[in-house]
Structure formats: structure tokens, C-alpha cells
Amino acid sequence: MGMAETSIPQALARAAGHGGSLTVLDAAMRPARLSLRELDERAAAVATGLRRAGVAPGDRVCVLAPTSPRMLLALFGLWRLGAVAVMLPHERRGDAGEARAFLAHRVAVAGATALLTDRAPEVRALLAGSPADGPASEVPDGFRVLDLDEAAAGVTGPPPPVPEADRLGMLQFTSGTTGTSKAVPVRQGQLVGNVLTCMEVLGMRPGHTYVSWLPFYHDMGIVSVAGLLAQGVHAVVLPTENFLRRPSCWMETVSTWRAEITAAPDSAYRLAAKAQQLRPAALDLSRLRVAINGAEAVTADIVDETLRVLGTSGMPAASLCPTYGMAETTLVVSAAGADRPVRVLGPEEGPAGGDGYPRPARPLVSCGRPLPGTGVSVRSADGRELPEGHIGEVQVCGPGVTDGYWRGPGAPPDTAGVLADGRLRTGDLGFLYEGELYVCGRIKDMIIAGGRNLYPEDYEIAADGVPGVRPGQVIAFSLPDTERMVVVAEGMGGEESLRRTARELFDRLRTTVQHAPAEVVVVRAATLPKTSSGKKRRGACRELYLSGGLQVVSGAR
């Protein structure tokens, strides 16, 4: 596949001569700043130390640590060495047995030789397990847990050779919304090139300031920071935990640092707008030029709420830029330009759909035009390219498309069912209209009821408007081998109010959507299954429903 002709270290060294910096905020929002020249020099020292510790170019090295200067130095040190970064979610996942199994599995899939962490003794003990558990058999022989502080300190000495653009830069695990998460191999040149193209399309420039709270185990988090720094942008990074505890800190940071660029998923903009409504802060968002909205479905109501609430603080209407992309395309496939307000098609506007799939019953947000050099086509189940306005599978080709799924060192990537004649089969349904891409939903998530194809998102968005339902915390799915569907919603309030919520939700859906659900279930807050990046896992929710594993408070049918 094509890509930029520079690796991350090559681009960083070039950008260092034109300014740019990395600022990392701690839990108390205190800044630690590195110029790009300092970052380049210290990354070389880290690479030298890692090589001395036995890490070789091409080795997969897991990184398990929260956002901090030392974590970022280790990350750029891995890239400087030519090693492959494998970023892992650092939050504890369930009990020790679950955390151990998750960590051992990721290490084994990556074929990792080492892991860098800020809590090395704890991780060593976790992987060793208890005598009753037996050894973590999935962890390869010779695997080492390295201390992040020691690695980030670096050592003096001749640095290793600078890697080229075709060197593998990271293994990015997919979100796993419809199945098991898979590892996607991404080359350094793709990390640089995809962001460079986005900058050109969206009018971002060296010297602009970018604010991000996104976790580095998420593709939007790691690719955006790496790619923008490599182009001479000032990056201001705050801990993900700060945003999760207090969503208002995101736009406060954008305002304080006078940022021109930021990025986040759709649901994060909802949280930022809600926070500003509840506790209005004196924000100045007038310098914001590019507010990328991606990584999950972009919804018209959140676009409207974001611009209505944050617009009073100066956020320009044209700054919100919906995008479409995924780990398998490095990051971005298409982007709405930052030169006009977001385009939204109502259910009765634009094309009516076709080729067996109905037009969704909700407004659809344009994800803009494909990036230059990237081709997007919409195809039927038998591979025919469909005309404009017809709904089918979105397929992508271009320099950002990766080679397939990782199967281990030396093995060719797995392309079965993924690549068709050089095109990535995304598994998403959508259509092109006047040159712009509109995404309808996931093929695997489609509901068949009453002999019709239905979109779960139509039900989930309709449910959001019912009092007592936690916004964005609704999952709809069909039951296997039946034409029955179920809607599960997280509720707010006591048991009596939740029973009332279930009845009101059932009545709302029965009268506002195409086909009434067989059952509505209200569960306790924060119990719906999500991916590590916060995406809904509809299949997992279905399994919990069938096995009785949901924390049900009330229901209606």
C-alpha cells in the first residue's frame, strides 16, 4: 500500500527545525513541556537504552501506562528504534484473573517480546498468577516486563539507525464491536501520511495547537498526536482520566491554550455540551478551527446540541468536522471540510436508498468527501458497485488502508473477507450523495423484524429522548432465529421511576419507529457492555440478555 515517504522519527526531526512542541498535563492540569527538538533527542536516547536492554528493531513491545511524559518518551523511543508499539488499556479490567487473561492474550497475539509499564512489579506478579492458576501459558518464553521510568530516562551512546517509512510502527487493536478484537499492523509512513493529508484537507498548519484527552490505545488518540507532532503542531495532551472525571476540563483546556484543533468521538461532544449547560464556564472557543468528530457514529442531535451550547462560547459552526474511518484505514477515510456548517440530511431528504436496504428513519450526518488519493465505493452483497444514493457496503482503497490483520511475525496478514480486489470491506452500510459519504450502520447489527431490515440506531436514538433513559446508553438487537427484537436501556432514578421509564419507553417506540420491539428492558446505570473505547457491543448485550446476565430493574412488553 502507498504511504508517506517519511517515518515518524524522520518527520519529527524535520519538524523540529520549524517549532512545535509537546505539552503533557498531569492530574492537577500542571504542564510539562518538551520542544520537538528535545523530544527528538530524548527519543533517540530512549531508543539507545531500549536497544541496550535487548529490544531490537521490529520487536513488538506492549505499553501499559497512563498518559504521562515518560509514557510518550517511551512511545517515541520505540518508534525511533524501529520497534512496534502495542498500546494496551491501562485501566483494571474486572478481577485479577480477567486482567491477567486479557493481558496475556494481547501479549500472545502481538508476539510481544517485552512490556513497558509504570508498575512493573505488579504486572510481573499478575502475569505469574497464583499457584492454583498455573503459569500464564500464552506469554511467550523470554518475555520481559521493563520499568517505564528506566526506559524513559534513556542512555547516552550512538543512537540506532533511523527507521524508514515502511517500518511497522504499531499494532492497533480494533474496537471489537461485533466480534473479537483483532490486531491491525500500521506502518510508520501511514501514521505520518494519513494525518498529513487530513491537515491539507482541513486547513491545519504547523504552529497550530491541538488539544487531546483521547487514550493512546485508541487509534484516534495515538495517530492524531503522532501525526500532528510530526508536522510541527503544538500538541497539548491531558490524561484521559481527567476528562472522564470532569468532562468540562476538555473545552476549558481548548480555551486556555487557545487551540485551533481538537478531536473526539460523538459522545464526548455530548458530555462537553452537557457539562457547559450544567455549570457554564467563561470559555473562549473562537480560535477553534477544526473540531474533528469521529471514531463512532456522528448523530444529528449531538451535532445540533454541540453547536448550540458551545457556539455561545465562540465555537464557529464550521469548525465541527464529522469524519469516517477505522483502525484498518490507519485513521481517516473521509472528512467534512472546515469551511461550511455540518451537512445533515433529514429522513425525507436526498436519496431514498435502495438495493434491499431502507433509508434510516433518522437524520444522517455527512462524513464529507474521501481524502485525496482514497477511493470509496458502495457495493452490493455480490460485489456490484452501486449508483449514487443506493445503500450498500462501504468499501475503501488508498494509502491509509492497511494490509490485513496481524497473524504473527513473518506470516502474511490475514486478508480473508477483508480485502476484495484491493478494497477494504468495512462492514458498514452507507451511501454516497453529491460526492459525500453517509454511514447508516453496521451490517452485522441489522435487525430483521416483520420481514424488514431495521437499523438499531433508529431505536437507540428514539429511546434517548425518553425521560429517565441515560442518553447514549441504549442498545437494540434482534434475537437469533426469530423476528423479535429487544431494546435495553440504562435508567436513572429509583425502582418506581425505572418501572415508569420502561413503560414510557415501550410506548414511545411502539408509536415512533417502523416496528415495535418485542420487549423493552431497563437496566442499572453503567452496566451495558462496551468496548475499551466506549463503543456499544450489541452482540455481547444479546448474549447477556439470553443468559440472564443483564442487571434488569424493570421491563415492558
Side-chain angles (χ1 to χ4, degrees), residues 17 21 77 159 212 231 236 287 304 367 429 489 499-500:
S21 63
S212 175
Q231 305 302 333
V236 179
R287 285 179 64 93
D304 179 70
C367 293
L429 289 170
R499 280 193 291 271
R500 189 165 54 250

mmCIF file of all heavy atoms in Angstrom, residues 17 21 77 159 212 231 236 287 304 367 429 489 499-500:
data_model
loop_
_atom_site.group_PDB
_atom_site.id
_atom_site.type_symbol
_atom_site.label_atom_id
_atom_site.label_comp_id
_atom_site.label_asym_id
_atom_site.label_seq_id
_atom_site.Cartn_x
_atom_site.Cartn_y
_atom_site.Cartn_z
ATOM 1 N N GLY A 17 12.879 21.640 13.330
ATOM 2 C CA GLY A 17 13.511 22.866 12.876
ATOM 3 C C GLY A 17 12.542 24.011 12.649
ATOM 4 O O GLY A 17 12.963 25.143 12.401
ATOM 5 N N SER A 21 5.775 21.647 19.639
ATOM 6 C CA SER A 21 6.106 21.193 20.987
ATOM 7 C C SER A 21 5.084 20.166 21.450
ATOM 8 O O SER A 21 4.005 20.023 20.868
ATOM 9 C CB SER A 21 6.124 22.374 21.958
ATOM 10 O OG SER A 21 4.835 22.963 22.057
ATOM 11 N N GLY A 77 10.441 6.685 21.663
ATOM 12 C CA GLY A 77 11.691 5.922 21.672
ATOM 13 C C GLY A 77 11.542 4.604 20.922
ATOM 14 O O GLY A 77 12.454 4.190 20.183
ATOM 15 N N PRO A 159 23.079 6.520 18.763
ATOM 16 C CA PRO A 159 21.691 6.080 18.577
ATOM 17 C C PRO A 159 21.600 5.054 17.457
ATOM 18 O O PRO A 159 22.475 4.975 16.591
ATOM 19 C CB PRO A 159 20.959 7.374 18.210
ATOM 20 C CG PRO A 159 22.005 8.239 17.603
ATOM 21 C CD PRO A 159 23.292 7.905 18.298
ATOM 22 N N SER A 212 -5.878 17.236 23.141
ATOM 23 C CA SER A 212 -6.437 15.884 23.138
ATOM 24 C C SER A 212 -6.427 15.288 24.531
ATOM 25 O O SER A 212 -5.452 15.415 25.271
ATOM 26 C CB SER A 212 -5.639 14.966 22.208
ATOM 27 O OG SER A 212 -6.107 13.630 22.289
ATOM 28 N N GLN A 231 4.249 16.924 12.088
ATOM 29 C CA GLN A 231 4.076 18.029 11.142
ATOM 30 C C GLN A 231 4.298 19.391 11.797
ATOM 31 O O GLN A 231 3.978 20.418 11.200
ATOM 32 C CB GLN A 231 2.668 17.982 10.526
ATOM 33 C CG GLN A 231 2.318 16.655 9.876
ATOM 34 C CD GLN A 231 3.274 16.260 8.769
ATOM 35 O OE1 GLN A 231 3.895 17.095 8.130
ATOM 36 N NE2 GLN A 231 3.404 14.954 8.549
ATOM 37 N N VAL A 236 -1.139 19.514 22.994
ATOM 38 C CA VAL A 236 -1.377 19.595 24.438
ATOM 39 C C VAL A 236 -2.218 18.379 24.812
ATOM 40 O O VAL A 236 -3.354 18.234 24.348
ATOM 41 C CB VAL A 236 -2.109 20.899 24.819
ATOM 42 C CG1 VAL A 236 -2.368 20.947 26.324
ATOM 43 C CG2 VAL A 236 -1.296 22.110 24.378
ATOM 44 N N ARG A 287 -11.013 30.590 18.602
ATOM 45 C CA ARG A 287 -9.877 30.228 17.751
ATOM 46 C C ARG A 287 -10.008 28.810 17.177
ATOM 47 O O ARG A 287 -9.220 28.418 16.309
ATOM 48 C CB ARG A 287 -8.569 30.336 18.538
ATOM 49 C CG ARG A 287 -8.122 31.772 18.747
ATOM 50 C CD ARG A 287 -6.826 31.807 19.548
ATOM 51 N NE ARG A 287 -5.713 31.183 18.843
ATOM 52 C CZ ARG A 287 -4.852 31.828 18.065
ATOM 53 N NH1 ARG A 287 -4.999 33.132 17.879
ATOM 54 N NH2 ARG A 287 -3.862 31.201 17.491
ATOM 55 N N ASP A 304 -26.209 19.200 16.697
ATOM 56 C CA ASP A 304 -27.017 20.385 16.986
ATOM 57 C C ASP A 304 -26.769 20.890 18.405
ATOM 58 O O ASP A 304 -26.587 22.094 18.619
ATOM 59 C CB ASP A 304 -28.495 20.049 16.793
ATOM 60 C CG ASP A 304 -29.404 21.231 17.112
ATOM 61 O OD1 ASP A 304 -29.402 22.200 16.333
ATOM 62 O OD2 ASP A 304 -30.095 21.182 18.147
ATOM 63 N N CYS A 367 -20.343 12.625 6.387
ATOM 64 C CA CYS A 367 -18.955 12.438 6.826
ATOM 65 C C CYS A 367 -17.976 13.008 5.815
ATOM 66 O O CYS A 367 -16.774 12.704 5.859
ATOM 67 C CB CYS A 367 -18.677 10.954 7.062
ATOM 68 S SG CYS A 367 -19.592 10.259 8.448
ATOM 69 N N LEU A 429 -22.708 -0.094 6.372
ATOM 70 C CA LEU A 429 -23.664 0.277 5.333
ATOM 71 C C LEU A 429 -23.687 1.788 5.168
ATOM 72 O O LEU A 429 -23.630 2.524 6.164
ATOM 73 C CB LEU A 429 -25.072 -0.205 5.700
ATOM 74 C CG LEU A 429 -25.320 -1.709 5.646
ATOM 75 C CD1 LEU A 429 -26.679 -2.030 6.261
ATOM 76 C CD2 LEU A 429 -25.239 -2.225 4.214
ATOM 77 N N ALA A 489 -32.040 -0.418 27.855
ATOM 78 C CA ALA A 489 -31.646 0.960 28.170
ATOM 79 C C ALA A 489 -31.199 1.061 29.618
ATOM 80 O O ALA A 489 -31.790 0.443 30.513
ATOM 81 C CB ALA A 489 -32.814 1.918 27.933
ATOM 82 N N ARG A 499 -39.541 1.674 36.592
ATOM 83 C CA ARG A 499 -40.673 0.938 36.028
ATOM 84 C C ARG A 499 -41.495 1.837 35.111
ATOM 85 O O ARG A 499 -41.952 1.423 34.039
ATOM 86 C CB ARG A 499 -41.547 0.386 37.164
ATOM 87 C CG ARG A 499 -40.989 -0.893 37.799
ATOM 88 C CD ARG A 499 -42.031 -1.563 38.674
ATOM 89 N NE ARG A 499 -42.326 -0.788 39.861
ATOM 90 C CZ ARG A 499 -41.664 -0.909 41.012
ATOM 91 N NH1 ARG A 499 -40.664 -1.786 41.110
ATOM 92 N NH2 ARG A 499 -41.993 -0.179 42.057
ATOM 93 N N ARG A 500 -41.638 3.090 35.523
ATOM 94 C CA ARG A 500 -42.369 4.055 34.690
ATOM 95 C C ARG A 500 -41.594 4.335 33.400
ATOM 96 O O ARG A 500 -42.182 4.436 32.320
ATOM 97 C CB ARG A 500 -42.593 5.350 35.487
ATOM 98 C CG ARG A 500 -43.524 6.334 34.807
ATOM 99 C CD ARG A 500 -43.988 7.407 35.782
ATOM 100 N NE ARG A 500 -42.890 8.081 36.451
ATOM 101 C CZ ARG A 500 -42.602 7.941 37.753
ATOM 102 N NH1 ARG A 500 -43.328 7.139 38.527
ATOM 103 N NH2 ARG A 500 -41.588 8.587 38.304
#
